[in-house]
Amino acid sequence: MSVRIAIAGGNGRMGRTLIDLIQGNEELSLAAVTLAQNENVPEPAPVSAELYTHEIDVALSEADVLIDFTTPATIVVHAQACARAGVKWVVGTTGLDASEQAAVTAAAGEVAICQAANFSTGVNLMLRLVELATRASEGETDLEVIEAHHRHKVDAPSGTALAIGKAMAIGRDIDLDEHAVMSREGITGARVDGSIGFSTIRGGDIVGDHTAMFVSDGERLEITHRAGTRLAFARGACRAAAWLSEKPAGLYDMQDVLQLRD
Ligand code: NAD
């Protein structure tokens, strides 16, 4: 039997990609699509207009898993609704603050949740490679993360850039918050030893580029991932939804889905 999926944010860029993808997926079936209160069912609708609702509880009553690419402001309501309904949750929305993240963690006590800053298989392989490369690199190697996204993106650095920084911090056994340099401007002074630097580019329709840079005197290693379309994220989110349907309550990520843990 197929896993019944509710998509939150059906009029968004990711929501529309997911609707298209799930229609051709044998493991998953589309049970409901939610819209923000100020949105209408699109015309023409890509699926039956009856699947659309403004009420998250109505959507969850038909679903096994909610796939959520919306806004941080929606997260607390969705966390409580999933926990109440016993519906599993794929969380792709990024830019959560501490209280929104705490709501996700609390809901994971009740239902299985897969949360990832980036659902593409390539990026998750990259995170693993970055951790390995950091472990193998010499202590004086400078670590930098560069990311580029479309002009509409509202958070920076991207959740994926932060995840790359975190993989570096794990590889070096340090705390990212204590070592991150999020931007540089003016007379910054020399580079702080042991820091992890971030640079952000915004423009046009770039779907998402990330480079992890390992720079030492005399050589430079760069690991780069470029997403060509949103399909890479949508495919990963669908894979996570199918995987979650078998899992007990807990907070998982794509490293778990792809079995990339040690
Ligand atoms: P978008 O702005 O195109 O879509 C978001 C949609 O959610 C909008 O249509 C908005 O109206 C809708 N929405 C807001 N509140 C809602 C509510 N209460 N109920 C239902 N719908 C609601 O944005 P996007 O490019 O699709 O990205 C969405 C989020 O996903 C962002 O946080 C983005 O950073 C993140 N994202 C994550 C990944 C990943 O792999 N984890 C990939 C792409 C985007």
Side-chain angles (χ1 to χ4, degrees), residues 8-15 34-36 38-39 69-72 74 78 92-94 116-120 150 153 155 230 233:
N11 275 356
R13 285 174 285 257
M14 279 302 297
T34 74
L35 298 172
N38 61 352
E39 289 177 318
F69 287 83
T70 55
T71 61
T74 311
H78 284 186
T93 306
T94 63
N118 191 310
F119 275 93
S120 96
H150 52 90
K153 187 162 178 63
D155 54 318
R230 289 182 176 76
F233 313 127

PDB file of all heavy atoms in Angstrom, residues 8-15 34-36 38-39 69-72 74 78 92-94 116-120 150 153 155 230 233, ligand 1:
ATOM      1  N   ALA A   8       2.706  20.468   2.509  1.00  0.00           N
ATOM      2  CA  ALA A   8       2.436  21.804   3.044  1.00  0.00           C
ATOM      3  C   ALA A   8       3.088  22.827   2.131  1.00  0.00           C
ATOM      4  O   ALA A   8       4.222  22.646   1.706  1.00  0.00           O
ATOM      5  CB  ALA A   8       2.996  21.916   4.462  1.00  0.00           C
ATOM      6  N   GLY A   9       2.354  23.903   1.841  1.00  0.00           N
ATOM      7  CA  GLY A   9       2.923  24.940   0.969  1.00  0.00           C
ATOM      8  C   GLY A   9       2.835  24.558  -0.498  1.00  0.00           C
ATOM      9  O   GLY A   9       3.797  24.725  -1.250  1.00  0.00           O
ATOM     10  N   GLY A  10       1.685  24.079  -0.933  1.00  0.00           N
ATOM     11  CA  GLY A  10       1.510  23.534  -2.292  1.00  0.00           C
ATOM     12  C   GLY A  10       1.682  24.543  -3.403  1.00  0.00           C
ATOM     13  O   GLY A  10       1.857  24.145  -4.560  1.00  0.00           O
ATOM     14  N   ASN A  11       1.601  25.846  -3.097  1.00  0.00           N
ATOM     15  CA  ASN A  11       1.807  26.849  -4.154  1.00  0.00           C
ATOM     16  C   ASN A  11       3.249  27.346  -4.213  1.00  0.00           C
ATOM     17  O   ASN A  11       3.573  28.190  -5.046  1.00  0.00           O
ATOM     18  CB  ASN A  11       0.887  28.070  -3.932  1.00  0.00           C
ATOM     19  CG  ASN A  11      -0.489  27.833  -4.536  1.00  0.00           C
ATOM     20  OD1 ASN A  11      -0.724  26.811  -5.172  1.00  0.00           O
ATOM     21  ND2 ASN A  11      -1.394  28.780  -4.315  1.00  0.00           N
ATOM     22  N   GLY A  12       4.095  26.851  -3.318  1.00  0.00           N
ATOM     23  CA  GLY A  12       5.484  27.304  -3.292  1.00  0.00           C
ATOM     24  C   GLY A  12       6.313  26.615  -4.367  1.00  0.00           C
ATOM     25  O   GLY A  12       5.851  25.688  -5.046  1.00  0.00           O
ATOM     26  N   ARG A  13       7.562  27.078  -4.515  1.00  0.00           N
ATOM     27  CA  ARG A  13       8.452  26.483  -5.532  1.00  0.00           C
ATOM     28  C   ARG A  13       8.659  24.999  -5.252  1.00  0.00           C
ATOM     29  O   ARG A  13       8.533  24.159  -6.145  1.00  0.00           O
ATOM     30  CB  ARG A  13       9.805  27.220  -5.541  1.00  0.00           C
ATOM     31  CG  ARG A  13       9.762  28.579  -6.202  1.00  0.00           C
ATOM     32  CD  ARG A  13      11.086  29.303  -6.030  1.00  0.00           C
ATOM     33  NE  ARG A  13      11.220  29.788  -4.668  1.00  0.00           N
ATOM     34  CZ  ARG A  13      11.054  31.052  -4.289  1.00  0.00           C
ATOM     35  NH1 ARG A  13      10.772  31.963  -5.189  1.00  0.00           N
ATOM     36  NH2 ARG A  13      11.175  31.414  -3.026  1.00  0.00           N
ATOM     37  N   MET A  14       8.958  24.639  -4.003  1.00  0.00           N
ATOM     38  CA  MET A  14       9.174  23.228  -3.666  1.00  0.00           C
ATOM     39  C   MET A  14       7.856  22.464  -3.689  1.00  0.00           C
ATOM     40  O   MET A  14       7.801  21.316  -4.124  1.00  0.00           O
ATOM     41  CB  MET A  14       9.843  23.109  -2.292  1.00  0.00           C
ATOM     42  CG  MET A  14      11.340  23.332  -2.303  1.00  0.00           C
ATOM     43  SD  MET A  14      12.211  22.206  -3.400  1.00  0.00           S
ATOM     44  CE  MET A  14      11.862  20.638  -2.637  1.00  0.00           C
ATOM     45  N   GLY A  15       6.797  23.102  -3.183  1.00  0.00           N
ATOM     46  CA  GLY A  15       5.492  22.437  -3.139  1.00  0.00           C
ATOM     47  C   GLY A  15       5.040  22.007  -4.526  1.00  0.00           C
ATOM     48  O   GLY A  15       4.600  20.862  -4.742  1.00  0.00           O
ATOM     49  N   THR A  34      -1.692  21.702   1.410  1.00  0.00           N
ATOM     50  CA  THR A  34      -2.140  22.881   2.156  1.00  0.00           C
ATOM     51  C   THR A  34      -1.656  24.167   1.477  1.00  0.00           C
ATOM     52  O   THR A  34      -0.635  24.202   0.795  1.00  0.00           O
ATOM     53  CB  THR A  34      -1.647  22.883   3.622  1.00  0.00           C
ATOM     54  OG1 THR A  34      -0.245  23.186   3.659  1.00  0.00           O
ATOM     55  CG2 THR A  34      -1.920  21.570   4.303  1.00  0.00           C
ATOM     56  N   LEU A  35      -2.443  25.217   1.718  1.00  0.00           N
ATOM     57  CA  LEU A  35      -2.127  26.555   1.209  1.00  0.00           C
ATOM     58  C   LEU A  35      -2.073  27.511   2.381  1.00  0.00           C
ATOM     59  O   LEU A  35      -2.723  27.292   3.415  1.00  0.00           O
ATOM     60  CB  LEU A  35      -3.237  27.017   0.258  1.00  0.00           C
ATOM     61  CG  LEU A  35      -3.463  26.183  -1.002  1.00  0.00           C
ATOM     62  CD1 LEU A  35      -4.720  26.664  -1.723  1.00  0.00           C
ATOM     63  CD2 LEU A  35      -2.246  26.262  -1.913  1.00  0.00           C
ATOM     64  N   ALA A  36      -1.316  28.615   2.233  1.00  0.00           N
ATOM     65  CA  ALA A  36      -1.362  29.684   3.235  1.00  0.00           C
ATOM     66  C   ALA A  36      -2.743  30.336   3.186  1.00  0.00           C
ATOM     67  O   ALA A  36      -3.439  30.250   2.168  1.00  0.00           O
ATOM     68  CB  ALA A  36      -0.275  30.700   2.934  1.00  0.00           C
ATOM     69  N   ASN A  38      -3.725  33.248   2.774  1.00  0.00           N
ATOM     70  CA  ASN A  38      -3.939  34.276   1.738  1.00  0.00           C
ATOM     71  C   ASN A  38      -3.818  33.720   0.319  1.00  0.00           C
ATOM     72  O   ASN A  38      -3.788  34.472  -0.645  1.00  0.00           O
ATOM     73  CB  ASN A  38      -2.941  35.428   1.927  1.00  0.00           C
ATOM     74  CG  ASN A  38      -1.496  34.950   1.793  1.00  0.00           C
ATOM     75  OD1 ASN A  38      -1.240  33.755   1.706  1.00  0.00           O
ATOM     76  ND2 ASN A  38      -0.558  35.884   1.760  1.00  0.00           N
ATOM     77  N   GLU A  39      -3.727  32.392   0.180  1.00  0.00           N
ATOM     78  CA  GLU A  39      -3.560  31.810  -1.154  1.00  0.00           C
ATOM     79  C   GLU A  39      -4.822  31.081  -1.609  1.00  0.00           C
ATOM     80  O   GLU A  39      -5.573  30.549  -0.783  1.00  0.00           O
ATOM     81  CB  GLU A  39      -2.398  30.789  -1.144  1.00  0.00           C
ATOM     82  CG  GLU A  39      -1.029  31.430  -1.019  1.00  0.00           C
ATOM     83  CD  GLU A  39       0.079  30.379  -0.929  1.00  0.00           C
ATOM     84  OE1 GLU A  39      -0.100  29.366  -0.223  1.00  0.00           O
ATOM     85  OE2 GLU A  39       1.118  30.584  -1.556  1.00  0.00           O
ATOM     86  N   PHE A  69       7.739  22.240   3.130  1.00  0.00           N
ATOM     87  CA  PHE A  69       8.685  23.267   2.675  1.00  0.00           C
ATOM     88  C   PHE A  69       7.892  24.570   2.689  1.00  0.00           C
ATOM     89  O   PHE A  69       7.296  24.948   1.675  1.00  0.00           O
ATOM     90  CB  PHE A  69       9.201  22.960   1.265  1.00  0.00           C
ATOM     91  CG  PHE A  69      10.170  21.810   1.196  1.00  0.00           C
ATOM     92  CD1 PHE A  69       9.705  20.503   1.137  1.00  0.00           C
ATOM     93  CD2 PHE A  69      11.544  22.029   1.191  1.00  0.00           C
ATOM     94  CE1 PHE A  69      10.589  19.438   1.062  1.00  0.00           C
ATOM     95  CE2 PHE A  69      12.440  20.964   1.120  1.00  0.00           C
ATOM     96  CZ  PHE A  69      11.965  19.668   1.062  1.00  0.00           C
ATOM     97  N   THR A  70       7.822  25.212   3.857  1.00  0.00           N
ATOM     98  CA  THR A  70       7.006  26.427   3.967  1.00  0.00           C
ATOM     99  C   THR A  70       7.851  27.564   4.530  1.00  0.00           C
ATOM    100  O   THR A  70       8.807  27.987   3.898  1.00  0.00           O
ATOM    101  CB  THR A  70       5.754  26.161   4.845  1.00  0.00           C
ATOM    102  OG1 THR A  70       6.161  25.653   6.127  1.00  0.00           O
ATOM    103  CG2 THR A  70       4.808  25.197   4.176  1.00  0.00           C
ATOM    104  N   THR A  71       7.475  28.052   5.710  1.00  0.00           N
ATOM    105  CA  THR A  71       8.205  29.168   6.331  1.00  0.00           C
ATOM    106  C   THR A  71       8.431  28.835   7.811  1.00  0.00           C
ATOM    107  O   THR A  71       7.648  28.102   8.424  1.00  0.00           O
ATOM    108  CB  THR A  71       7.387  30.472   6.259  1.00  0.00           C
ATOM    109  OG1 THR A  71       6.171  30.260   6.981  1.00  0.00           O
ATOM    110  CG2 THR A  71       7.069  30.865   4.833  1.00  0.00           C
ATOM    111  N   PRO A  72       9.486  29.410   8.411  1.00  0.00           N
ATOM    112  CA  PRO A  72       9.728  29.141   9.831  1.00  0.00           C
ATOM    113  C   PRO A  72       8.522  29.483  10.706  1.00  0.00           C
ATOM    114  O   PRO A  72       8.254  28.785  11.689  1.00  0.00           O
ATOM    115  CB  PRO A  72      10.928  30.056  10.146  1.00  0.00           C
ATOM    116  CG  PRO A  72      11.643  30.194   8.845  1.00  0.00           C
ATOM    117  CD  PRO A  72      10.566  30.219   7.792  1.00  0.00           C
ATOM    118  N   THR A  74       5.572  28.913  10.327  1.00  0.00           N
ATOM    119  CA  THR A  74       4.560  27.843  10.279  1.00  0.00           C
ATOM    120  C   THR A  74       4.947  26.648  11.138  1.00  0.00           C
ATOM    121  O   THR A  74       4.095  25.814  11.473  1.00  0.00           O
ATOM    122  CB  THR A  74       4.425  27.366   8.809  1.00  0.00           C
ATOM    123  OG1 THR A  74       4.284  28.499   7.981  1.00  0.00           O
ATOM    124  CG2 THR A  74       3.260  26.453   8.607  1.00  0.00           C
ATOM    125  N   HIS A  78       2.734  23.406  12.818  1.00  0.00           N
ATOM    126  CA  HIS A  78       2.832  22.100  12.163  1.00  0.00           C
ATOM    127  C   HIS A  78       3.394  21.042  13.113  1.00  0.00           C
ATOM    128  O   HIS A  78       2.975  19.881  13.076  1.00  0.00           O
ATOM    129  CB  HIS A  78       3.690  22.198  10.892  1.00  0.00           C
ATOM    130  CG  HIS A  78       2.964  22.846   9.748  1.00  0.00           C
ATOM    131  ND1 HIS A  78       3.470  22.943   8.485  1.00  0.00           N
ATOM    132  CD2 HIS A  78       1.744  23.432   9.692  1.00  0.00           C
ATOM    133  CE1 HIS A  78       2.602  23.548   7.691  1.00  0.00           C
ATOM    134  NE2 HIS A  78       1.551  23.867   8.413  1.00  0.00           N
ATOM    135  N   GLY A  92      11.650  20.324   5.569  1.00  0.00           N
ATOM    136  CA  GLY A  92      12.655  20.912   4.677  1.00  0.00           C
ATOM    137  C   GLY A  92      12.827  22.401   4.896  1.00  0.00           C
ATOM    138  O   GLY A  92      13.818  22.979   4.454  1.00  0.00           O
ATOM    139  N   THR A  93      11.869  23.021   5.572  1.00  0.00           N
ATOM    140  CA  THR A  93      11.928  24.468   5.811  1.00  0.00           C
ATOM    141  C   THR A  93      13.195  24.813   6.584  1.00  0.00           C
ATOM    142  O   THR A  93      13.512  24.154   7.576  1.00  0.00           O
ATOM    143  CB  THR A  93      10.682  24.898   6.628  1.00  0.00           C
ATOM    144  OG1 THR A  93       9.525  24.443   5.931  1.00  0.00           O
ATOM    145  CG2 THR A  93      10.635  26.407   6.799  1.00  0.00           C
ATOM    146  N   THR A  94      13.898  25.849   6.128  1.00  0.00           N
ATOM    147  CA  THR A  94      15.147  26.240   6.801  1.00  0.00           C
ATOM    148  C   THR A  94      14.990  27.617   7.449  1.00  0.00           C
ATOM    149  O   THR A  94      13.981  28.292   7.268  1.00  0.00           O
ATOM    150  CB  THR A  94      16.323  26.271   5.812  1.00  0.00           C
ATOM    151  OG1 THR A  94      16.059  27.273   4.813  1.00  0.00           O
ATOM    152  CG2 THR A  94      16.543  24.928   5.162  1.00  0.00           C
ATOM    153  N   ALA A 116      16.198  18.013   7.345  1.00  0.00           N
ATOM    154  CA  ALA A 116      17.497  18.211   6.690  1.00  0.00           C
ATOM    155  C   ALA A 116      17.537  19.592   6.069  1.00  0.00           C
ATOM    156  O   ALA A 116      16.546  20.060   5.508  1.00  0.00           O
ATOM    157  CB  ALA A 116      17.725  17.146   5.618  1.00  0.00           C
ATOM    158  N   ALA A 117      18.691  20.220   6.174  1.00  0.00           N
ATOM    159  CA  ALA A 117      18.873  21.530   5.543  1.00  0.00           C
ATOM    160  C   ALA A 117      18.899  21.370   4.028  1.00  0.00           C
ATOM    161  O   ALA A 117      18.646  22.320   3.292  1.00  0.00           O
ATOM    162  CB  ALA A 117      20.174  22.153   6.021  1.00  0.00           C
ATOM    163  N   ASN A 118      19.192  20.165   3.568  1.00  0.00           N
ATOM    164  CA  ASN A 118      19.250  19.910   2.132  1.00  0.00           C
ATOM    165  C   ASN A 118      18.944  18.432   1.906  1.00  0.00           C
ATOM    166  O   ASN A 118      19.616  17.575   2.467  1.00  0.00           O
ATOM    167  CB  ASN A 118      20.651  20.265   1.603  1.00  0.00           C
ATOM    168  CG  ASN A 118      20.683  20.270   0.102  1.00  0.00           C
ATOM    169  OD1 ASN A 118      20.246  19.326  -0.539  1.00  0.00           O
ATOM    170  ND2 ASN A 118      21.203  21.342  -0.471  1.00  0.00           N
ATOM    171  N   PHE A 119      17.930  18.162   1.092  1.00  0.00           N
ATOM    172  CA  PHE A 119      17.494  16.775   0.904  1.00  0.00           C
ATOM    173  C   PHE A 119      18.153  16.112  -0.312  1.00  0.00           C
ATOM    174  O   PHE A 119      17.834  14.966  -0.607  1.00  0.00           O
ATOM    175  CB  PHE A 119      15.968  16.712   0.788  1.00  0.00           C
ATOM    176  CG  PHE A 119      15.300  16.661   2.139  1.00  0.00           C
ATOM    177  CD1 PHE A 119      14.890  17.816   2.768  1.00  0.00           C
ATOM    178  CD2 PHE A 119      15.132  15.454   2.802  1.00  0.00           C
ATOM    179  CE1 PHE A 119      14.304  17.767   4.033  1.00  0.00           C
ATOM    180  CE2 PHE A 119      14.554  15.391   4.053  1.00  0.00           C
ATOM    181  CZ  PHE A 119      14.136  16.552   4.676  1.00  0.00           C
ATOM    182  N   SER A 120      19.055  16.804  -1.003  1.00  0.00           N
ATOM    183  CA  SER A 120      19.642  16.159  -2.191  1.00  0.00           C
ATOM    184  C   SER A 120      20.659  15.094  -1.769  1.00  0.00           C
ATOM    185  O   SER A 120      21.386  15.264  -0.786  1.00  0.00           O
ATOM    186  CB  SER A 120      20.292  17.200  -3.113  1.00  0.00           C
ATOM    187  OG  SER A 120      21.664  17.299  -2.871  1.00  0.00           O
ATOM    188  N   HIS A 150      19.335  31.842  -5.495  1.00  0.00           N
ATOM    189  CA  HIS A 150      18.460  32.772  -6.235  1.00  0.00           C
ATOM    190  C   HIS A 150      18.124  34.027  -5.418  1.00  0.00           C
ATOM    191  O   HIS A 150      18.262  34.047  -4.204  1.00  0.00           O
ATOM    192  CB  HIS A 150      17.161  32.039  -6.610  1.00  0.00           C
ATOM    193  CG  HIS A 150      16.483  31.381  -5.449  1.00  0.00           C
ATOM    194  ND1 HIS A 150      15.546  32.029  -4.679  1.00  0.00           N
ATOM    195  CD2 HIS A 150      16.631  30.149  -4.897  1.00  0.00           C
ATOM    196  CE1 HIS A 150      15.128  31.220  -3.726  1.00  0.00           C
ATOM    197  NE2 HIS A 150      15.779  30.061  -3.825  1.00  0.00           N
ATOM    198  N   LYS A 153      15.756  34.096  -2.027  1.00  0.00           N
ATOM    199  CA  LYS A 153      16.051  33.402  -0.762  1.00  0.00           C
ATOM    200  C   LYS A 153      16.157  34.421   0.364  1.00  0.00           C
ATOM    201  O   LYS A 153      16.825  35.449   0.238  1.00  0.00           O
ATOM    202  CB  LYS A 153      17.346  32.585  -0.892  1.00  0.00           C
ATOM    203  CG  LYS A 153      17.604  31.727   0.338  1.00  0.00           C
ATOM    204  CD  LYS A 153      18.590  30.619   0.059  1.00  0.00           C
ATOM    205  CE  LYS A 153      18.871  29.798   1.313  1.00  0.00           C
ATOM    206  NZ  LYS A 153      17.697  29.095   1.827  1.00  0.00           N
ATOM    207  N   ASP A 155      16.983  33.690   3.826  1.00  0.00           N
ATOM    208  CA  ASP A 155      17.910  33.457   4.948  1.00  0.00           C
ATOM    209  C   ASP A 155      19.345  33.288   4.433  1.00  0.00           C
ATOM    210  O   ASP A 155      19.570  32.838   3.317  1.00  0.00           O
ATOM    211  CB  ASP A 155      17.479  32.235   5.788  1.00  0.00           C
ATOM    212  CG  ASP A 155      17.289  30.973   4.956  1.00  0.00           C
ATOM    213  OD1 ASP A 155      16.716  31.072   3.848  1.00  0.00           O
ATOM    214  OD2 ASP A 155      17.728  29.889   5.388  1.00  0.00           O
ATOM    215  N   ARG A 230      15.098  21.986  -8.634  1.00  0.00           N
ATOM    216  CA  ARG A 230      14.590  21.633  -7.299  1.00  0.00           C
ATOM    217  C   ARG A 230      14.235  20.150  -7.192  1.00  0.00           C
ATOM    218  O   ARG A 230      13.942  19.652  -6.124  1.00  0.00           O
ATOM    219  CB  ARG A 230      13.365  22.483  -6.958  1.00  0.00           C
ATOM    220  CG  ARG A 230      13.747  23.897  -6.700  1.00  0.00           C
ATOM    221  CD  ARG A 230      12.614  24.811  -6.309  1.00  0.00           C
ATOM    222  NE  ARG A 230      13.181  26.109  -6.009  1.00  0.00           N
ATOM    223  CZ  ARG A 230      13.593  26.970  -6.933  1.00  0.00           C
ATOM    224  NH1 ARG A 230      13.457  26.694  -8.204  1.00  0.00           N
ATOM    225  NH2 ARG A 230      14.142  28.115  -6.571  1.00  0.00           N
ATOM    226  N   PHE A 233      16.052  18.130  -4.521  1.00  0.00           N
ATOM    227  CA  PHE A 233      15.548  18.210  -3.141  1.00  0.00           C
ATOM    228  C   PHE A 233      14.237  17.409  -3.012  1.00  0.00           C
ATOM    229  O   PHE A 233      14.004  16.726  -2.015  1.00  0.00           O
ATOM    230  CB  PHE A 233      15.274  19.660  -2.726  1.00  0.00           C
ATOM    231  CG  PHE A 233      16.385  20.616  -3.073  1.00  0.00           C
ATOM    232  CD1 PHE A 233      16.132  21.771  -3.801  1.00  0.00           C
ATOM    233  CD2 PHE A 233      17.692  20.361  -2.661  1.00  0.00           C
ATOM    234  CE1 PHE A 233      17.156  22.653  -4.126  1.00  0.00           C
ATOM    235  CE2 PHE A 233      18.718  21.240  -2.981  1.00  0.00           C
ATOM    236  CZ  PHE A 233      18.446  22.389  -3.719  1.00  0.00           C
TER     237      PHE A 233
HETATM  238  P1  NAD B   1       8.377  29.433  -1.482  1.00  0.00           P
HETATM  239  O1  NAD B   1       8.290  30.798  -0.863  1.00  0.00           O
HETATM  240  O2  NAD B   1       8.335  29.312  -2.958  1.00  0.00           O
HETATM  241  O3  NAD B   1       7.234  28.481  -0.884  1.00  0.00           O
HETATM  242  C1  NAD B   1       6.765  28.486   0.424  1.00  0.00           C
HETATM  243  C2  NAD B   1       5.261  28.366   0.354  1.00  0.00           C
HETATM  244  O4  NAD B   1       4.745  28.098   1.667  1.00  0.00           O
HETATM  245  C3  NAD B   1       4.579  29.672  -0.130  1.00  0.00           C
HETATM  246  O5  NAD B   1       3.673  29.376  -1.188  1.00  0.00           O
HETATM  247  C4  NAD B   1       3.847  30.152   1.110  1.00  0.00           C
HETATM  248  O6  NAD B   1       2.667  30.891   0.812  1.00  0.00           O
HETATM  249  C5  NAD B   1       3.532  28.817   1.776  1.00  0.00           C
HETATM  250  N1  NAD B   1       3.114  28.929   3.175  1.00  0.00           N
HETATM  251  C6  NAD B   1       3.496  29.817   4.112  1.00  0.00           C
HETATM  252  N2  NAD B   1       2.832  29.581   5.273  1.00  0.00           N
HETATM  253  C7  NAD B   1       2.028  28.516   5.040  1.00  0.00           C
HETATM  254  C8  NAD B   1       1.081  27.807   5.835  1.00  0.00           C
HETATM  255  N3  NAD B   1       0.831  28.143   7.106  1.00  0.00           N
HETATM  256  N4  NAD B   1       0.422  26.765   5.284  1.00  0.00           N
HETATM  257  C9  NAD B   1       0.649  26.407   3.996  1.00  0.00           C
HETATM  258  N5  NAD B   1       1.524  27.058   3.187  1.00  0.00           N
HETATM  259  C10 NAD B   1       2.203  28.093   3.717  1.00  0.00           C
HETATM  260  O7  NAD B   1       9.730  28.799  -0.909  1.00  0.00           O
HETATM  261  P2  NAD B   1      10.512  27.497  -1.410  1.00  0.00           P
HETATM  262  O8  NAD B   1      11.625  27.908  -2.317  1.00  0.00           O
HETATM  263  O9  NAD B   1       9.549  26.455  -1.852  1.00  0.00           O
HETATM  264  O10 NAD B   1      11.225  27.072  -0.033  1.00  0.00           O
HETATM  265  C11 NAD B   1      10.468  26.825   1.128  1.00  0.00           C
HETATM  266  C12 NAD B   1      11.397  26.521   2.294  1.00  0.00           C
HETATM  267  O11 NAD B   1      12.134  25.328   2.015  1.00  0.00           O
HETATM  268  C13 NAD B   1      12.459  27.597   2.580  1.00  0.00           C
HETATM  269  O12 NAD B   1      12.690  27.629   3.965  1.00  0.00           O
HETATM  270  C14 NAD B   1      13.683  27.080   1.842  1.00  0.00           C
HETATM  271  O13 NAD B   1      14.889  27.579   2.382  1.00  0.00           O
HETATM  272  C15 NAD B   1      13.531  25.599   2.107  1.00  0.00           C
HETATM  273  N6  NAD B   1      14.196  24.721   1.163  1.00  0.00           N
HETATM  274  C16 NAD B   1      14.812  23.647   1.711  1.00  0.00           C
HETATM  275  C17 NAD B   1      15.381  22.700   0.891  1.00  0.00           C
HETATM  276  C18 NAD B   1      15.949  21.456   1.508  1.00  0.00           C
HETATM  277  O14 NAD B   1      16.440  20.564   0.793  1.00  0.00           O
HETATM  278  N7  NAD B   1      15.877  21.313   2.848  1.00  0.00           N
HETATM  279  C19 NAD B   1      15.361  22.867  -0.513  1.00  0.00           C
HETATM  280  C20 NAD B   1      14.724  23.986  -1.040  1.00  0.00           C
HETATM  281  C21 NAD B   1      14.129  24.907  -0.177  1.00  0.00           C
END
